[in-house]
Structure formats: structure tokens, C-alpha cells
């Protein structure tokens, strides 16, 4: 990479909804882009000096197809000049943020921008699971009217357990409130500011949430502490006929254990937008008529995608103008 009078920024993937704003960064930075390729080629290019002088990377969620996960191996290949990664997504499990921090690379994500859309998706899945909506919806398209549907459940008076009261969890609680749920939540720590718990949900322990909730909705980040958090032992603790909703990350739930719980009627129904090994889905989930399935589309609206891209761009712009990211992830804040 030849020397440039401007800082160099590399876009991994494509900006689709904020193209003008991205192009405007060209006034203060040299913009590069990688739209195709594979991990081996990217590592080879890093090693051969193609990206020497790079200050920042803006990456899309789908760019993992081009580079693979930003793990320790890849981070070791990145140029020493790289100091910032602006990631498009609230979840950032595609990046080893701790390894980045150890290398002096700060990482940002897009909190806030995804809250409303993901919470809306969770409400859709919650209501669909309560009614086991997959059964009549499928039967209708097959010309069998309601098919073999039984009766579902109303939300009124049910105890809703929110696992993770961050931005998405609190947005979800606001949307659930008009359905007359009683609400409780669990975080690592109780939220302090009232705006983070807008429905005044009760703080309970993880075990109490599992044992007492009629519906459990998951809104946690994926990390070492949450991977496989919900397995056989946790399902055994739950009430018979519990409803599970997950719009966070698939690996938080042991899918084999979920399938068993569905087959044994421990779980009445589930609404899922994320999967343990996506895009592969456990065959037991595909077979089950108790599950409402969506293909990780919680943020798939024009408005939300633009908000996310704008925040990625704003993070890069702030790096170029002020020398730091606007929304650094916790690992970068603590480094």
C-alpha cells in the first residue's frame, strides 16, 4: 500500500443504505474497499504489506465471509498501524475484542441503532409462539384451513422473564407492557438508571427467573459466560409449558436440549431468530410445529440498516477527527 497524505480506512463488505455519507469520508480519508475474496487471501495480503499504513477498518456483519472471524490468528496478521475497528452490529462475537485490546486496537459496535427493530422482532416471535402460529399459518397455505391447531395462550397476566436488560431488553419490555405482562429480569447487576428499566420490572436471580417465568426472552450478548447458558439443567428448572424467545445469539441455547424440551412438552413453544450453528438449523427445530422460525432478520429493515451504517460511519469519522471511537465495546473501554 503506497503512502497516502490522508489516513487510510478499509471497508470490508458494502455500505448499502448510507453510501453518500460513506463517500463523504473521502474528503478526510483515503477509502479502500474489499468486496470479495476469502480468509486465506486476506491474511496473505496483510502479510505481504497490501494493507500497511491502515488506520481503521469498517466491517459489515456479512464480511465474515471474506475474512473469517477476527480471532487471534487474524489479529496477529493485521498491520501495526491499525488502531480502530468499526463493526456493524450490536453483537460483536465475530471479533475477539479482548485480543484486539491487547494489540492496542479499539473496537466499536452499533448499540442503540438495533434496539427497536430487534425488540419488535422479539414481540412478533413471542406472540407467534404463544399461539403456536406456525401450525395454522402453514395449514392455511396448504389448503387445510386451520389444520391441527389447538388453543394457544393469551399474554395477559403471564410472568415475563427478560434475560438481559440492556438496550434491546428495555425496548422489548416497553413493547411487552401493553400486553399486560408482569415482568422480571436478570442481569449481571441490577440496572441503576430508571430509563434502563422503563417498566420497573423486578430484579431477580438467574435461577428465580428460570423457575418462575411463564415466558423467557433472551437479550444477552454472546461471550464466554453466556455460551451454552441455557441447557438441560436450566430447562429442567423451568415451569412446565414455558415459552422461549431468542433474538440474541443462538449459541446461548443448547439446541439439542431445547429440542428435547419441546418434544417432552416442557417447553410449550419457542420463537427463534438465531441459531447455534446458523445458517444450519437443528433438524428437530425444523420438524417441530411448536417453533416459529426466522432466519436472523431481527434488524432487517431499511430504517435500521441505515441507522447501523450511519453509526459505523460516525465512529470512523470521529476517529479521523477526534482520535477515538464514539461507541467502544466494553473490552476497549477497559483497555
Amino acid at each position: 500500500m503506497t503512502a497516502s497524505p490522508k489516513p487510510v480506512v478499509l471497508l470490508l463488505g458494502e455500505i448499502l443504505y448510507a453510501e453518500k455519507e460513506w463517500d463523504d469520508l473521502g474528503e478526510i480519508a483515503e477509502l479502500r474497499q474489499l468486496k470479495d475474496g476469502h480468509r486465506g487471501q486476506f491474511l496473505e495480503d496483510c502479510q505481504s504489506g497490501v494493507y500497511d499504513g491502515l488506520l481503521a477498518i469498517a466491517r459489515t456483519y456479512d464480511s465474515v465471509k471474506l475474512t473469517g472471524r477476527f480471532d487471534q490468528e487474524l489479529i496477529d496478521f493485521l498491520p501495526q498501524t491499525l488502531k480502530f475497528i468499526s463493526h456493524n452490529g450490536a453483537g460483536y462475537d465475530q471479533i475477539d475484542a479482548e485480543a484486539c485490546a491487547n494489540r492496542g486496537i479499539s473496537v466499536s459496535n452499533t448499540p442503540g441503532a438495533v434496539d427497536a427493530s430487534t425488540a419488535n422482532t422479539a414481540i412478533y416471535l413471542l406472540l407467534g409462539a404463544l399461539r403456536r402460529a406456525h401450525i395454522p399459518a402453514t395449514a392455511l397455505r396448504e389448503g387445510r384451513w386451520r389444520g391441527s391447531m389447538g388453543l394457544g395462550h393469551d399474554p395477559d397476566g403471564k410472568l415475563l422473564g427478560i434475560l438481559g436488560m440492556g438496550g434491546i431488553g428495555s425496548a422489548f419490555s416497553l413493547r411487552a407492557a401493553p400486553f399486560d405482562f408482569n415482568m422480571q429480569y436478570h442481569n449481571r447487576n441490577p440496572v441503576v438508571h430508571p430509563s434502563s428499566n422503563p417498566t420497573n420490572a423486578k430484579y431477580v436471580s438467574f435461577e428465580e427467573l428460570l423457575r418462575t417465568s411463564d415466558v423467557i426472552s433472551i437479550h444477552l450478548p454472546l461471550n464466554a459466560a453466556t455460551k451454552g447458558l441455557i441447557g438441560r439443567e436450566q430447562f429442567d428448572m423451568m415451569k412446565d409449558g414455558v415459552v422461549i424467545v431468542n433474538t440474541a445469539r443462538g449459541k446461548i441455547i443448547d439446541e439439542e436440549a431445547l429440542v428435547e424440551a419441546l418434544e417432552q412438552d416442557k417447553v410449550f413453544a419457542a420463537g427463534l431468530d438465531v441459531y447455534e450453528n446458523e445458517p444450519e438449523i437443528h433438524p428437530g427445530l425444523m420438524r417441530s410445529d411448536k417453533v416459529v422460525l426466522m432466519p436472523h432478520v431481527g434488524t432487517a429493515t431499511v430504517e435500521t440498516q441505515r441507522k447501523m451504517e450511519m453509526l459505523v460511519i460516525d465512529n470512523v469519522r470521529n476517529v479521523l477527527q477526534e482520535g477515538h471511537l464514539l461507541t467502544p465495546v466494553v473490552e476497549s473501554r477497559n483497555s
Side-chain angles (χ1 to χ4, degrees):
M1 185 176 285
T2 58
S4 169
K6 296 179 181 178
V8 181
V9 178
L10 174 66
L11 171 61
L12 298 176
E14 296 185 77
I15 297 288
L16 300 175
Y17 303 97
E19 295 174 272
K20 179 183 182 301
E21 289 81 0
W22 173 259
D23 291 342
D24 287 346
L25 286 179
E27 298 174 3
I28 54 175
E30 179 183 336
L31 303 179
R32 304 286 180 89
Q33 185 174 13
L34 180 65
K35 293 195 290 186
D36 51 51
H38 55 83
R39 181 181 177 91
Q41 185 62 57
F42 182 70
L43 295 182
E44 182 179 325
D45 288 345
C46 286
Q47 190 171 38
S48 66
V50 170
Y51 299 115
D52 285 359
L54 188 64
L55 174 66
I57 288 175
R59 68 179 303 277
T60 66
Y61 183 84
D62 287 340
S63 71
V64 70
K65 300 171 187 175
L66 306 177
T67 65
R69 187 172 181 269
F70 269 55
D71 55 13
Q72 185 68 64
E73 179 192 34
L74 186 146
I75 291 164
D76 287 343
F77 275 83
L78 295 173
Q80 292 299 314
T81 54
L82 181 71
K83 298 300 178 186
F84 303 97
I85 298 173
S86 181
H87 168 70
N88 190 347
Y92 53 95
D93 46 288
Q94 291 181 346
I95 302 173
D96 187 337
E98 186 172 344
C100 284
N102 292 337
R103 250 288 305 270
I105 301 171
S106 295
V107 178
S108 63
N109 62 339
T110 58
V114 304
D115 293 354
S117 185
T118 307
N120 292 341
T121 301
I123 291 293
Y124 170 85
L125 291 170
L126 184 158
L127 296 175
L130 280 169
R131 292 292 189 99
R132 286 184 176 171
H134 171 74
I135 298 173
T138 302
L140 184 67
R141 291 180 181 276
E142 293 175 349
R144 296 185 292 110
W145 194 226
R146 294 172 183 157
S148 60
M149 69 167 283
L151 295 179
H153 292 285
D154 290 324
D156 312 62
K158 299 288 190 299
L159 184 54
L160 172 59
I162 300 172
L163 195 50
M165 189 67 90
I168 297 171
S170 61
F172 172 74
S173 73
L174 275 174
R175 287 157 173 77
F179 294 98
D180 292 329
F181 281 105
N182 298 312
M183 288 188 239
Q184 60 186 8
Y185 78 98
H186 177 74
N187 265 2
R188 285 175 297 180
N189 300 295
V191 297
V192 176
H193 200 281
S195 64
S196 298
N197 184 10
T199 57
N200 198 30
K202 178 185 176 184
Y203 178 80
V204 296
S205 69
F206 178 52
E207 183 172 327
E208 183 176 350
L209 185 140
L210 295 180
R211 291 190 183 279
T212 61
S213 298
D214 298 305
V215 178
I216 296 173
S217 190
I218 300 170
H219 303 281
L220 296 169
L222 178 64
N223 52 44
T226 61
K227 185 177 181 180
L229 182 67
I230 307 295
R232 288 182 177 86
E233 180 182 352
Q234 289 70 38
F235 283 117
D236 286 344
M237 290 183 191
M238 296 177 192
K239 296 173 72 171
D240 292 343
V242 68
V243 170
I244 303 293
V245 175
N246 188 10
T247 54
R249 284 294 185 267
K251 290 184 183 294
I252 294 171
I253 296 180
D254 178 341
E255 284 185 359
E256 184 68 31
L258 173 58
V259 169
E260 290 177 7
L262 285 161
E263 291 174 346
Q264 295 164 5
D265 291 325
K266 181 70 177 184
V267 173
F268 174 78
L272 306 175
D273 187 45
V274 290
Y275 306 92
E276 193 170 4
N277 297 300
E278 58 187 59
E280 297 178 15
I281 302 177
H282 192 292
L285 295 176
M286 295 291 284
R287 287 194 307 268
S288 178
D289 58 8
K290 303 174 183 177
V291 187
V292 179
L293 304 173
M294 294 181 70
H296 202 153
V297 292
T299 61
T301 68
V302 171
E303 295 83 0
T304 296
Q305 288 299 309
R306 177 170 167 78
K307 286 180 192 175
M308 294 169 73
E309 289 185 353
M310 285 298 300
L311 188 47
V312 168
I313 292 167
D314 288 344
N315 268 295
V316 173
R317 183 178 295 278
N318 208 68
V319 161
L320 297 170
Q321 295 179 334
E322 305 294 336
H324 61 87
L325 295 163
L326 289 171
T327 56
V329 302
V330 63
E331 293 86 351
S332 295
R333 295 196 296 267
N334 294 338
S335 64

